[in-house]
């Protein structure tokens, strides 16, 4: 049975209400109108009552007055009577498209899920009286105007930047570190003053699109403020994420330094907002368009390193050249990506990749690893992705396993680089033939015995077998000091030596006196400790080494040896041994004689005075 509309108030009561008779009065409040909403969207109209008598839970009835029949009240829905709705609203109420939701005992909200053009009109919220007398207002009215849906959203032509496949929506592939740029067209022709808010969102690949699965990337709010979703806020602050408006209806999002997590399906969502008479902003329309399916090709999945030629066998002094080729579907170095390439060497049988030999950094600047300073080593780029390591004169110590290490970086905001991937080549064995130099050394103390204050001469004879022509010899002298009758556990101390170029090198002598080192024969070296003192006591040895100079004027040690120990003990002279007792005895004799003489003289003088 349809509702007949609200019961009119008797004229006397109406007069009392107009005169404001009585203390408390019922009041029904609805939003200030008119309200503008768009066909096909949802609308919510609130209603609450105050100043009433009776139970705390009040009933509400909603009516519609259409423009073409402004006096005819059409029952929509009631909290009291389930059969309240007119026939035009009955099916929609039964389907849940139109419903009334109670917020509390004296407040409800009328909800219409999908507005239709014929829903325009004046809505009345009526509260049946529970008061002992009629006083105040029992209904409130608000006008709702339904606007046509004219909001349009689409992907902006031309298509997004990147490698695009001819599909709809397009499938876009970008390299890690590159920019991801997507465009969106959003426009409306609503006659009323409205604002558009546009946001770009991402859903994980193959996930259904919805508010629960769509992660906002960045959006332009209705007040023109740019805000990013929580996972992208840091990138927006760093300048890696940008959103701008181009022209009247084109919006462009740029994600700098694409990462693996940026893959997914991107959408553009436009919402239209209007300001209600109470000053609040209400969303009146929303539409979404798929922009592209984006795949991010990570550098780690593409970076590959190969080395050549194969296993190398060379002789000492020969040049060693190794090539490294970096391959894969990689972006060229420049604005978004950068690469560094280096060589590592591990001695044969040693675990791990080894130590750095040389490298080219992301700016193309070469550097040598620790221990290779001063050598003629070149690291250069000889082709687009080919790098060459060249050692002008290889040494036996250069033998081992070589690997090429390539690193890929992506550039974030400004010049900041972030390492995205690294790859090592297979091991490349390198063999360098040994020189075959065998050294032996014999050292001794000239004279066998040395005394304090004298000069100790230590001689070292060196014998050599094998080696290339032009072999040079060097020799150094070392000492180990005794502590409490035993040799110290500290390393031996350099006293002095002569290098392969004939230049003398002086260390620290234990006694602190003068030292001289010299070459007294083609293969004979001498160490002299002048003015020997007790602090010079110790065990000395001679350490010869063989050196080879290559065409690049670099030296390398081809062999070494160590002589047997030579004990140096500064003895004391016999005269020095007797001198101390002699001096002590003489002093005692002088003191004793003086005492006796004084005693005799004293007694003689006493007798003389008595006489």
């Amino acid at each position: 049975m349809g509702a007949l509309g609200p019961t009119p108030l008797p004229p006397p009561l109406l007069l009392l209400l107009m005169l404001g008779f009585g203390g408390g009065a019922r009041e029904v409040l609805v939003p200030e109108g008119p309200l503008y909403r768009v066909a096909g969207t949802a609308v919510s109209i609130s209603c609450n009552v105050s100043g009433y008598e009776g139970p705390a839970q009040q009933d509400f009835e909603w009516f519609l007055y259409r423009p073409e029949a402004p006096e005819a009240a059409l029952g929509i829905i009631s909290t009291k009577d389930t059969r309240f709705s007119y026939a035009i609203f009955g099916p929609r109420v039964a389907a849940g498209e139109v419903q009334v939701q109670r917020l509390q005992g004296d407040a409800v909200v009328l909800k219409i899920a999908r507005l239709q053009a014929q829903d325009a009109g004046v809505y009345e919220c009526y509260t049946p009286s529970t008061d002992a007398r009629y006083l105040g207002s029992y209904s409130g009215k608000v006008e709702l105007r339904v606007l046509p849906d004219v909001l349009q959203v689409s992907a902006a032509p031309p298509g997004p930047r990147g490698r695009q496949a001819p599909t709809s929506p397009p499938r876009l592939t970008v390299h890690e570190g590159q920019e991801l740029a997507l465009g969106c067209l959003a426009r409306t022709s609503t006659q009323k003053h409205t604002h558009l808010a546009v946001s770009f969102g991402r859903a994980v690949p193959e996930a259904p699109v919805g508010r629960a699965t769509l992660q906002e990337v960045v959006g332009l709010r209705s007040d023109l403020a740019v805000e990013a979703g929580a996972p992208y806020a840091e990138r927006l602050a760093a300048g890696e994420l940008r959103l701008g408006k181009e022209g009247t209806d084109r919006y462009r999002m740029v994600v700098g330094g694409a990462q693996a997590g940026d893959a997914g399906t991107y959408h553009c969502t436009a919402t239209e907002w209007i300001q209600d008479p109470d000053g609040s902003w209400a969303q009146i329309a929303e539409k979404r368009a798929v922009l592209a399916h984006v795949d991010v090709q990570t550098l780690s999945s593409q970076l590959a390193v190969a080395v050549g030629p194969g296993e190398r066998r060379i002789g000492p002094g020969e040049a060693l050249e190794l090539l490294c080729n970096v391959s894969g579907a990689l972006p060229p170095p420049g604005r978004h990506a950068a690469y560094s390439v280096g060589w590592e060497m591990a001695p044969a049988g040693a675990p791990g990749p080894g130590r750095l030999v040389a490298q080219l950094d992301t700016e193309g600047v070469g550097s040598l690893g620790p221990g290779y300073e001063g050598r003629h080593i070149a690291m250069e780029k000889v082709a687009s992705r080919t790098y060459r390591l060249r050692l002008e004169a290889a040494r036996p110590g250069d033998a081992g396993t070589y690997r090429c290490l390539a690193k890929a970086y992506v550039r974030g905001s400004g010049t900041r680089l972030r390492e995205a991937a690294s790859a090592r080549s297979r091991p490349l064995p390198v063999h360098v033939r040994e020189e075959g130099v065998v050294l032996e050394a014999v050292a001794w103390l000239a004279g066998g015995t040395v005394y304090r204050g004298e000069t100790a001469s230590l001689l070292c004879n060196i014998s050599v077998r094998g080696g290339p022509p032009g072999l040079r010899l060097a020799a150094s002298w070392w000492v180990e000091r005794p502590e409490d009758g035993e040799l110290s556990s500290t390393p031996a101390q350099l006293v002095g030596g002569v290098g392969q170029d004939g230049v003398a090198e002086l260390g620290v002598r234990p006694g602190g006196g003068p030292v001289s080192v010299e070459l007294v024969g083609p293969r004979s070296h001498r160490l002299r400790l002048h003015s020997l003192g007790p602090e010079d006591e110790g065990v000395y040895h001679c350490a010869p080494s063989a050196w080879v100079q290559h065409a690049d004027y670099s030296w390398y040690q081809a062999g070494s040896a160590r002589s047997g120990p030579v004990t140096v003990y500064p003895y004391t002279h016999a005269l020095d041994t007797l001198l101390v007792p002699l001096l002590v005895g003489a002093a005692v004799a002088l003191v004793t004689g003086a005492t006796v003489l004084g005693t005799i003289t004293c007694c003689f003088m006493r007798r003389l005075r008595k006489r």
Side-chain angles (χ1 to χ4, degrees):
M1 176 178 177
L4 299 178
T7 304
L9 298 176
L13 180 57
L14 181 59
L15 178 61
L16 289 175
L17 292 177
M18 294 175 61
L19 295 175
F21 179 78
R26 175 185 289 259
E27 184 179 12
V28 177
L29 295 178
V30 293
E32 184 181 354
L35 303 177
Y36 292 90
R37 299 296 184 265
V38 173
T41 64
V43 64
S44 297
I45 304 176
S46 62
C47 177
N48 65 80
V49 61
S50 60
Y52 56 87
E53 297 177 357
Q57 181 162 306
Q58 297 286 297
D59 285 313
F60 295 83
E61 296 174 351
W62 285 91
F63 297 88
L64 170 62
Y65 299 86
R66 286 179 172 171
E68 61 271 18
E71 300 299 328
L74 304 178
I76 303 173
I77 194 170
S78 168
T79 59
K80 182 178 181 180
D81 187 0
T82 58
R83 298 178 297 170
F84 179 83
S85 304
Y86 271 40
I88 58 174
F89 289 105
R92 297 171 69 184
V93 172
E97 182 181 332
V98 178
Q99 56 180 312
V100 60
Q101 178 182 350
R102 186 180 292 276
L103 302 180
Q104 57 188 39
D106 54 7
V108 296
V109 175
L110 172 66
K111 293 186 174 183
I112 302 176
R114 285 178 293 277
L115 275 179
Q116 301 175 6
Q118 59 268 29
D119 292 332
V122 176
Y123 284 76
E124 181 182 24
C125 174
Y126 175 75
T127 60
S129 175
T130 59
D131 306 330
R133 54 190 178 138
Y134 282 98
L135 191 62
S137 65
Y138 287 80
S139 69
K141 292 182 179 181
V142 59
E143 182 183 4
L144 174 65
R145 299 179 184 179
V146 180
L147 305 174
D149 184 4
V150 290
L151 179 61
Q152 300 177 10
V153 181
S154 63
R161 180 187 302 176
R163 191 172 72 247
Q164 182 175 333
T167 60
S168 182
R171 181 166 291 275
L172 179 67
T173 300
V174 295
H175 292 288
E176 183 178 7
Q178 282 187 322
E179 280 189 352
L180 168 63
L182 299 173
C184 173
L185 287 176
R187 63 169 68 95
T188 182
S189 56
T190 303
Q191 297 303 314
K192 295 298 176 179
H193 177 68
T194 60
H195 287 181
L196 284 185
V198 176
S199 66
F200 290 78
R202 181 186 66 88
V204 296
E206 311 304 329
V209 179
R211 291 186 179 273
T213 60
L214 192 62
Q215 170 65 58
E216 184 183 31
V217 178
V218 66
L220 184 66
R221 307 299 182 227
S222 57
D223 59 357
L224 302 182
V226 176
E227 295 181 3
Y232 295 88
E234 184 176 346
R235 296 171 72 177
L236 177 66
E240 296 180 10
L241 176 62
R242 304 186 300 276
L243 174 61
K245 185 177 182 181
E246 302 173 349
T248 59
D249 55 6
R250 184 186 179 108
Y251 301 83
R252 186 168 182 265
M253 178 191 70
V254 177
V255 181
Q259 303 174 11
D262 294 330
T265 302
Y266 282 79
H267 300 77
C268 176
T269 302
T271 54
E272 190 173 6
W273 296 75
I274 194 168
Q275 192 171 28
D276 286 338
D278 64 358
S280 63
W281 286 89
Q283 178 181 318
I284 61 174
E286 178 180 289
K287 285 190 177 178
R288 182 180 295 118
V290 179
L291 303 181
H293 300 297
V294 176
D295 297 317
V296 178
Q297 198 168 67
T298 60
L299 296 177
S300 59
S301 66
Q302 298 296 318
L303 185 63
V305 182
V307 292
E311 184 173 357
R312 299 294 311 277
R313 296 182 181 274
I314 59 176
E318 297 180 9
L320 172 63
E321 281 194 2
L322 302 175
L323 296 177
C324 175
N325 184 66
V326 180
S327 61
L330 304 172
R335 180 182 175 188
H336 304 300
Y339 304 91
S340 69
V341 177
W343 282 92
E344 299 170 327
M345 190 278 286
R355 61 177 181 171
L356 178 68
V357 179
Q359 72 171 359
L360 284 179
D361 64 15
T362 55
E363 301 296 329
V365 178
S367 60
L368 300 180
Y372 291 91
E373 301 90 345
R375 295 187 57 182
H376 289 261
I377 299 176
M379 179 74 182
E380 56 186 341
K381 186 176 182 179
V382 295
S384 161
R385 294 183 179 179
T386 303
Y387 301 81
R388 179 175 63 191
L389 171 68
R390 179 180 175 86
L391 283 71
E392 292 296 337
R395 307 174 179 179
D398 295 326
T401 301
Y402 286 74
R403 288 180 175 86
C404 180
L405 171 64
K407 295 182 179 181
Y409 300 83
V410 294
R411 199 177 302 276
S413 60
T415 58
R416 183 171 60 91
L417 289 176
R418 173 179 61 86
E419 183 178 335
S422 64
R424 279 188 175 86
S425 69
R426 62 175 177 83
L428 179 62
V430 172
H431 307 277
V432 181
R433 187 176 62 253
E434 295 283 349
E435 292 287 359
V437 178
V438 178
L439 297 180
E440 291 182 357
V442 177
W444 70 95
L445 176 64
T449 301
V450 63
Y451 292 91
R452 297 179 184 180
E454 296 181 347
T455 297
S457 295
L458 288 80
L459 297 173
C460 178
N461 283 349
I462 306 169
S463 61
V464 183
R465 295 196 305 272
L471 189 71
R472 298 281 189 91
L473 295 179
S476 56
W477 292 92
W478 302 79
V479 62
E480 295 175 89
R481 294 273 298 152
E483 291 182 1
D484 299 330
E486 297 182 358
L487 290 180
S488 172
S489 58
T490 58
Q493 182 179 350
L494 175 67
V495 180
V498 178
Q500 72 274 13
D501 52 2
V503 177
E505 177 186 6
L506 298 181
V508 179
R509 175 181 167 182
V515 176
S516 61
V517 289
E518 53 191 334
L519 183 65
V520 295
R523 295 179 180 176
S524 180
H525 290 253
R526 180 171 62 187
L527 167 69
R528 291 195 293 179
L529 305 174
H530 304 277
S531 302
L532 200 65
E535 298 85 359
D536 295 316
E537 178 185 352
V539 177
Y540 293 73
H541 71 265
C542 171
S545 55
W547 295 81
V548 176
Q549 188 177 32
H550 290 307
D552 64 350
Y553 302 104
S554 66
W555 291 93
Y556 85 93
Q557 185 174 319
S560 63
R562 173 174 172 163
S563 72
V566 178
T567 300
V568 174
Y569 180 81
Y571 285 92
T572 305
H573 288 282
L575 182 60
D576 296 336
T577 305
L578 297 175
L579 180 60
V580 173
L582 180 62
L583 293 176
V584 172
V588 171
L590 288 174
V591 172
T592 304
T595 303
V596 172
L597 181 61
T599 303
I600 296 174
T601 303
C602 180
C603 294
F604 176 76
M605 294 300 295
R606 286 175 186 164
R607 288 185 179 182
L608 185 61
R609 283 196 300 268
K610 288 180 179 180
R611 288 182 182 181

